Amino acid sequence: MDWSLSIDKAIPKPLRVILRGVGQVFFCCNAVTGLIFLIALYVGGITAGLAATVGVISSTVAAYLLGFSDDDIDAGLYGFNGTLVGPCLFLFLENTPQLWLYVVLASILSTVVLAALMRILQPYNIPASTSPFVLTCWMFMVAVYSFDGFSRGPVLSAPGIPADIAATAVVTTEFATLTQEAVVAWYTAITKGIGEVMFADSVIVGILFLVGIAITSLRGALMAFLGAVAGVAIPICLGADKTLIEMGLYAFNPVLTMMAVGWVFLKPSTGTAILALLAGILTVICQAGLANFLAPMGLPTLTFPFVLVMWMFLFAASKSRYWANPQ
Amino acid sequence: MDWSLSIDKAIPKPLRVILRGVGQVFFCCNAVTGLIFLIALYVGGITAGLAATVGVISSTVAAYLLGFSDDDIDAGLYGFNGTLVGPCLFLFLENTPQLWLYVVLASILSTVVLAALMRILQPYNIPASTSPFVLTCWMFMVAVYSFDGFSRGPVLSAPGIPADIAATAVVTTEFATLTQEAVVAWYTAITKGIGEVMFADSVIVGILFLVGIAITSLRGALMAFLGAVAGVAIPICLGADKTLIEMGLYAFNPVLTMMAVGWVFLKPSTGTAILALLAGILTVICQAGLANFLAPMGLPTLTFPFVLVMWMFLFAASKSRYWANPQ
Amino acid sequence: MDWSLSIDKAIPKPLRVILRGVGQVFFCCNAVTGLIFLIALYVGGITAGLAATVGVISSTVAAYLLGFSDDDIDAGLYGFNGTLVGPCLFLFLENTPQLWLYVVLASILSTVVLAALMRILQPYNIPASTSPFVLTCWMFMVAVYSFDGFSRGPVLSAPGIPADIAATAVVTTEFATLTQEAVVAWYTAITKGIGEVMFADSVIVGILFLVGIAITSLRGALMAFLGAVAGVAIPICLGADKTLIEMGLYAFNPVLTMMAVGWVFLKPSTGTAILALLAGILTVICQAGLANFLAPMGLPTLTFPFVLVMWMFLFAASKSRYWANPQ
């Protein structure tokens, strides 16, 4: 919205770039939105907030030092992968002092990988999105088994969810009834689904994220909301694990897919909204497939289902008569 | 052949596009050939025939609705991946009513993936071939573990072969003798090898496929036949499992590779025929490697060995002085 | 150096091309360097030397017959992948007479894969480097499980190291002390690290390799040496397995990365030297990650960590204001 962009422009450049970097996690080049996201992260947990802060600063400063495009840095494009790297490593690896060094190193690498993927995808005019974060975190997480200095945190039992959290989740709720419990279950799953984009298993964090997105774009917030609804409804129809659904762990990928396809990268229209819904449904199936594929290696899917489906739809868009790509 | 192309042109457009889609499984843009393939599929089994019909229609209609190139749709290029998706899911997943919905969804996705890969490969002038079918089916097959609504069919014991079929196959035949049994074994393995391209473990289906190809091109049929011979002879020399050889499960990939390299995508000559043979031999090794690689995940290779080797040879062809690429 | 290039030019063409092919393993287009490498390989073991000779000749002759660029062949670019394929297959597979046929076939395939990857990477002006060797050897190694004619050699217990060798290695040495033992341990690990690029677990072979590189370029030799130091120091800091460190098995990838980033492909400067060091550190982490990733399939990383990190840095380099790419 206009007032938030005025504030965005008034913020001193270094701070603005960092806050935009946080905002870009949900495609929002807006420091006000980024500030709300960052506050939400600290609300979710001090460590997650600090890790995100260290990550976004490391990856952005690395981009300056390595001489990458000023315009891209200014838009926060070199910040959002670092923002995600920090909380991700602190969720999945053991919290030790060395882990901070690891977060800095991984954030720097995510910047190099982003520049590389931007170059690879340049002829196609397709964004790298969060793929550098995913590839970097996968590599660091699987490398850790070889090093004494680090160890894995709680063993993963499911896509992106530590075992102990899963155990405490209520699994008896019926989404399909019209009772008050069903309303609470839907409300919880949808908001947590938005929160889980940045690893926050929290209703309030999800609501704050949605408010932050709405400040930048109402259509963006609508797509995020519909993505979360799809990420709860579709796995229920297909008969997926209720605990995972309730944690929002099927929802955070369709949230991003529907925002990307239905708002950011294609011309906003009713047609692309329908397309976004199709993409969201396929993201849920892709999430289930990739989770099973990665399970033997103990790796979570992170946001790769979103990246894969978004790439397919954006590449395909350029072959279509109807889907204009304004970028 | 000329008479078949005259008939092809006389068929009403919607039917012609669908039949060409089936024909394109073996690179034949010819509705007569497609009709013979479809009849062969129904001969192999009503379910496989119906699944192929639903698949080819879903993927072609999706291409229309998504606004992809009319020329490509008319040539049947948006049909052959759907044709393969249908019988594949019915072979490897449990036959339930919901599976039909799954086939429709997977066929639509194969169309999106094909458009995306066509865009990615466009600067190189390389075909996506059956890779969308393979990637889509892998994703749906591995996703199914997470959903109550579906379950896996017979556990796979080997590349593309359900365990119970493998158990009933005769394993004592000696290919290397000059007895009548050896002749029958070769004849069975070669024809089934052609049939297995569309998952048909049947001599008569393989013969019908070969007839269909011959109607479009005699060189195409010769390459398919030589590919099947290579796919029986090479694994025998290397000492592979006889049951798999006899089922034609080492042969369906070299069949496609030799057709692609020796007939469709390079200038037909003695040189490219020799090249096709080299590609066929390497496809057998790639088949064995990929099958072992995918075995822990319970996934079959499908036609990916063919796709990989064909891609390597076609990319390499453009660096060569001798291999002209008329496309 | 000038005198060696004069000798290089005086050598008859067929021999020069073959020797340059060996030299290109360490990016040295210099027949004198190649000759020293080849002698070192024979010093390391007759079989390894013969296998490398058969490999380099097979892949180079294949490139001639397939009609690939004369300039590339003359520079030895179609030789180094074959040079590596030979000793690799003899280290990891059982030594049988058929294995020689296998080496020839794999060397031919590495030439096709190289041409294909050169074509794919052409728009980006990025080298394929040793990726054809890695991909070809992985495929042949995993295929072998299906064939009676071959069997696997000693089971791998760790990245690139047969179990029996690991068992005999001394594991008690302390790198971190200032005793004579520490000096010997560092000296051994660093030289073996350079030797392991061509699978030689030998101090003398590593020294000969370093001498060969120095004949072509002192900066190249310095980068190789620093890469080996990084490949010993970093895993010690991170607490990796001492046996592997002492065998040089964490060092051979950073050796190649630092040569590529700090000498061959970017403009030589202090800045790119620092960049090379960062790339070297990340290569060690990538080595650990990829080793754990591939372990369930019984595959070694070979030089893929180097290839991945080099690709990331070279792709990223073209997006940077500071890193000029003179190629």
Side-chain angles (χ1 to χ4, degrees):
Chain A
M1 294 175 194
D2 290 350
W3 61 266
S4 68
L5 289 175
S6 308
I7 299 176
D8 171 273
K9 284 191 179 57
I11 295 173
K13 194 176 168 184
L15 184 61
R16 189 180 64 208
V17 168
I18 296 301
L19 290 178
R20 281 180 176 177
V22 181
Q24 286 282 9
V25 171
F26 284 102
F27 314 102
C28 297
C29 180
N30 185 326
V32 177
T33 295
L35 181 63
I36 292 171
F37 290 170
L38 199 58
I39 291 168
L41 277 168
Y42 278 97
V43 168
I46 296 294
T47 310
L50 276 176
T53 310
V54 169
V56 65
I57 293 174
S58 304
S59 62
T60 307
V61 170
Y64 271 112
L65 295 178
L66 295 171
F68 295 140
S69 152
D70 278 338
D71 288 349
D72 289 348
I73 295 172
D74 197 42
L77 290 180
Y78 282 101
F80 67 95
N81 280 290
T83 305
L84 289 164
V85 162
C88 175
L89 294 184
F90 268 91
L91 178 62
F92 292 108
L93 302 181
E94 202 188 9
N95 187 338
T96 62
Q98 298 108 301
L99 192 50
W100 292 103
L101 176 71
Y102 224 49
V103 166
V104 171
L105 212 53
S107 298
I108 294 170
L109 179 61
S110 80
T111 286
V112 175
V113 173
L114 176 57
L117 287 174
M118 284 170 84
R119 175 71 193 92
I120 293 170
L121 295 167
Q122 195 166 288
Y124 304 104
N125 195 22
I126 296 278
S129 198
T130 56
S131 56
F133 143 67
V134 176
L135 298 174
T136 303
C137 282
W138 278 349
M139 209 189 75
F140 273 72
M141 285 160 75
V142 84
V144 145
Y145 286 118
S146 298
F147 300 139
D148 279 350
F150 304 94
S151 72
R152 296 295 286 261
V155 177
L156 302 175
S157 71
I161 168 176
D164 50 350
I165 300 182
T168 59
V170 183
V171 292
T172 51
T173 316
E174 260 309 325
F175 285 91
T177 59
L178 272 168
T179 61
Q180 204 188 330
E181 283 77 29
V183 173
V184 171
W186 277 89
Y187 169 77
T188 309
I190 288 171
T191 48
K192 284 190 177 178
I194 299 169
E196 284 286 355
V197 169
M198 296 204 229
F199 310 100
D201 178 37
S202 153
V203 168
I204 183 71
V205 174
I207 292 170
L208 283 172
F209 286 170
L210 200 57
V211 169
I213 300 165
I215 285 173
T216 295
S217 159
L218 286 178
R219 186 178 169 106
L222 180 67
M223 285 297 152
F225 177 76
L226 291 179
V229 173
V232 177
I234 306 296
I236 290 176
C237 294
L238 294 170
D241 185 279
K242 282 221 173 46
T243 316
L244 300 181
I245 298 171
E246 210 166 34
M247 302 268 303
L249 291 173
Y250 274 108
F252 67 96
N253 273 298
V255 163
L256 292 171
T257 306
M258 285 197 67
M259 289 179 78
V261 174
W263 168 48
V264 189
F265 297 114
L266 299 183
K267 196 168 64 183
S269 71
T270 313
T272 52
I274 295 169
L275 207 67
L277 191 62
L278 177 63
I281 294 169
L282 292 171
T283 304
V284 171
I285 295 172
C286 187
Q287 161 84 30
L290 195 64
N292 291 329
F293 185 86
L294 293 171
M297 283 161 269
L299 289 176
T301 65
L302 302 178
T303 56
F304 214 61
F306 144 66
V307 170
L308 282 180
V309 174
M310 181 199 64
W311 275 347
M312 285 301 111
F313 274 75
L314 294 191
F315 277 117
S318 62
K319 302 288 285 184
S320 166
R321 211 175 306 129
Y322 307 137
W323 314 349
N325 193 333
Q327 260 209 330
Chain B
M1 294 174 193
D2 290 351
W3 62 265
S4 68
L5 289 176
S6 308
I7 300 177
D8 171 272
K9 284 189 181 57
I11 296 174
K13 194 177 168 182
L15 185 60
R16 187 180 65 209
V17 168
I18 297 300
L19 290 177
R20 280 180 176 177
V22 181
Q24 285 282 10
V25 171
F26 283 102
F27 315 100
C28 297
C29 180
N30 186 325
V32 177
T33 295
L35 182 63
I36 293 171
F37 290 171
L38 198 57
I39 291 168
L41 278 168
Y42 279 98
V43 168
I46 296 294
T47 310
L50 277 175
T53 309
V54 169
V56 67
I57 293 174
S58 304
S59 62
T60 306
V61 170
Y64 271 112
L65 295 179
L66 295 172
F68 296 140
S69 151
D70 278 338
D71 288 351
D72 289 348
I73 295 171
D74 197 42
L77 290 180
Y78 281 100
F80 67 96
N81 281 289
T83 305
L84 290 164
V85 162
C88 174
L89 294 184
F90 268 90
L91 178 62
F92 292 109
L93 301 181
E94 202 190 8
N95 187 338
T96 61
Q98 297 107 301
L99 191 51
W100 292 104
L101 177 71
Y102 225 48
V103 165
V104 171
L105 213 53
S107 298
I108 295 170
L109 180 61
S110 80
T111 286
V112 175
V113 173
L114 175 57
L117 287 173
M118 284 170 83
R119 175 70 194 93
I120 293 170
L121 295 167
Q122 196 166 287
Y124 304 104
N125 195 21
I126 295 277
S129 199
T130 56
S131 57
F133 143 67
V134 176
L135 298 174
T136 302
C137 282
W138 278 349
M139 209 189 75
F140 273 73
M141 285 159 76
V142 83
V144 147
Y145 286 118
S146 298
F147 300 138
D148 278 350
F150 304 93
S151 73
R152 297 294 286 262
V155 177
L156 302 175
S157 71
I161 170 177
D164 51 350
I165 300 182
T168 59
V170 183
V171 292
T172 51
T173 316
E174 261 309 325
F175 285 89
T177 58
L178 270 169
T179 60
Q180 203 188 329
E181 283 78 29
V183 173
V184 170
W186 277 88
Y187 169 76
T188 309
I190 288 170
T191 49
K192 284 190 177 179
I194 299 169
E196 285 285 355
V197 169
M198 296 205 228
F199 309 101
D201 178 36
S202 154
V203 168
I204 183 71
V205 173
I207 291 170
L208 284 172
F209 285 171
L210 200 57
V211 169
I213 300 165
I215 285 172
T216 295
S217 160
L218 286 178
R219 186 176 169 108
L222 180 67
M223 284 298 152
F225 178 76
L226 291 179
V229 172
V232 177
I234 306 297
I236 290 176
C237 293
L238 294 170
D241 184 277
K242 280 220 175 47
T243 316
L244 300 181
I245 297 171
E246 209 167 35
M247 302 269 303
L249 291 173
Y250 273 108
F252 67 95
N253 273 298
V255 163
L256 292 171
T257 306
M258 285 197 66
M259 290 179 77
V261 175
W263 167 48
V264 188
F265 297 114
L266 299 184
K267 198 168 61 182
S269 71
T270 313
T272 52
I274 294 169
L275 206 66
L277 191 63
L278 177 63
I281 294 170
L282 292 170
T283 304
V284 172
I285 294 171
C286 187
Q287 161 84 31
L290 195 63
N292 291 329
F293 184 85
L294 294 170
M297 283 161 270
L299 289 177
T301 65
L302 303 178
T303 56
F304 215 62
F306 144 66
V307 170
L308 282 181
V309 174
M310 179 198 64
W311 276 346
M312 286 300 111
F313 274 75
L314 295 191
F315 276 117
S318 63
K319 301 289 285 183
S320 166
R321 209 175 308 130
Y322 306 138
W323 315 348
N325 193 333
Q327 261 210 331
Chain C
M1 293 172 194
D2 290 351
W3 61 265
S4 68
L5 289 176
S6 308
I7 300 176
D8 171 271
K9 284 191 180 55
I11 296 174
K13 194 177 168 183
L15 184 60
R16 189 181 63 208
V17 168
I18 296 301
L19 290 177
R20 281 180 176 178
V22 181
Q24 286 282 10
V25 172
F26 283 103
F27 315 101
C28 297
C29 180
N30 186 324
V32 177
T33 296
L35 181 62
I36 292 172
F37 290 171
L38 198 57
I39 290 168
L41 277 168
Y42 278 98
V43 168
I46 296 294
T47 310
L50 276 176
T53 310
V54 169
V56 66
I57 293 174
S58 304
S59 62
T60 306
V61 169
Y64 271 112
L65 294 178
L66 294 172
F68 296 140
S69 151
D70 277 338
D71 288 349
D72 289 348
I73 295 172
D74 197 42
L77 290 180
Y78 281 100
F80 67 95
N81 281 290
T83 306
L84 289 165
V85 162
C88 175
L89 293 184
F90 268 90
L91 178 62
F92 291 108
L93 301 182
E94 202 190 7
N95 187 338
T96 61
Q98 297 108 301
L99 192 50
W100 292 103
L101 176 71
Y102 225 48
V103 166
V104 171
L105 212 53
S107 298
I108 294 170
L109 179 61
S110 80
T111 287
V112 175
V113 174
L114 176 57
L117 287 173
M118 284 170 84
R119 175 69 192 93
I120 293 170
L121 295 167
Q122 196 166 287
Y124 304 103
N125 195 22
I126 295 278
S129 198
T130 55
S131 57
F133 143 67
V134 175
L135 298 174
T136 302
C137 281
W138 277 349
M139 208 189 75
F140 273 72
M141 284 159 77
V142 82
V144 145
Y145 286 118
S146 297
F147 300 139
D148 278 350
F150 303 94
S151 72
R152 295 296 287 262
V155 177
L156 302 174
S157 71
I161 169 177
D164 52 349
I165 300 182
T168 59
V170 183
V171 292
T172 51
T173 316
E174 259 311 323
F175 285 90
T177 58
L178 272 169
T179 61
Q180 202 186 332
E181 283 79 28
V183 173
V184 170
W186 276 90
Y187 169 76
T188 309
I190 288 171
T191 49
K192 283 189 177 179
I194 299 168
E196 283 286 354
V197 169
M198 296 206 227
F199 310 100
D201 178 37
S202 154
V203 168
I204 182 72
V205 173
I207 291 169
L208 283 172
F209 285 170
L210 201 57
V211 169
I213 299 165
I215 285 173
T216 295
S217 159
L218 286 178
R219 185 178 170 106
L222 179 67
M223 285 296 152
F225 177 76
L226 291 179
V229 172
V232 177
I234 306 296
I236 290 176
C237 293
L238 293 170
D241 185 279
K242 283 222 173 45
T243 316
L244 300 181
I245 297 171
E246 210 166 34
M247 303 269 303
L249 290 174
Y250 273 108
F252 67 96
N253 273 299
V255 163
L256 292 171
T257 306
M258 285 198 66
M259 289 179 77
V261 175
W263 168 48
V264 188
F265 297 114
L266 298 183
K267 198 167 62 182
S269 70
T270 313
T272 53
I274 295 169
L275 207 67
L277 190 63
L278 177 63
I281 294 169
L282 292 171
T283 303
V284 171
I285 294 172
C286 187
Q287 160 85 31
L290 195 64
N292 291 330
F293 184 85
L294 293 171
M297 283 162 270
L299 289 176
T301 66
L302 303 177
T303 56
F304 215 62
F306 144 66
V307 170
L308 282 181
V309 174
M310 179 199 65
W311 275 347
M312 285 301 111
F313 274 75
L314 295 191
F315 276 116
S318 63
K319 301 288 286 183
S320 167
R321 210 174 308 129
Y322 307 136
W323 315 348
N325 192 334
Q327 259 209 333

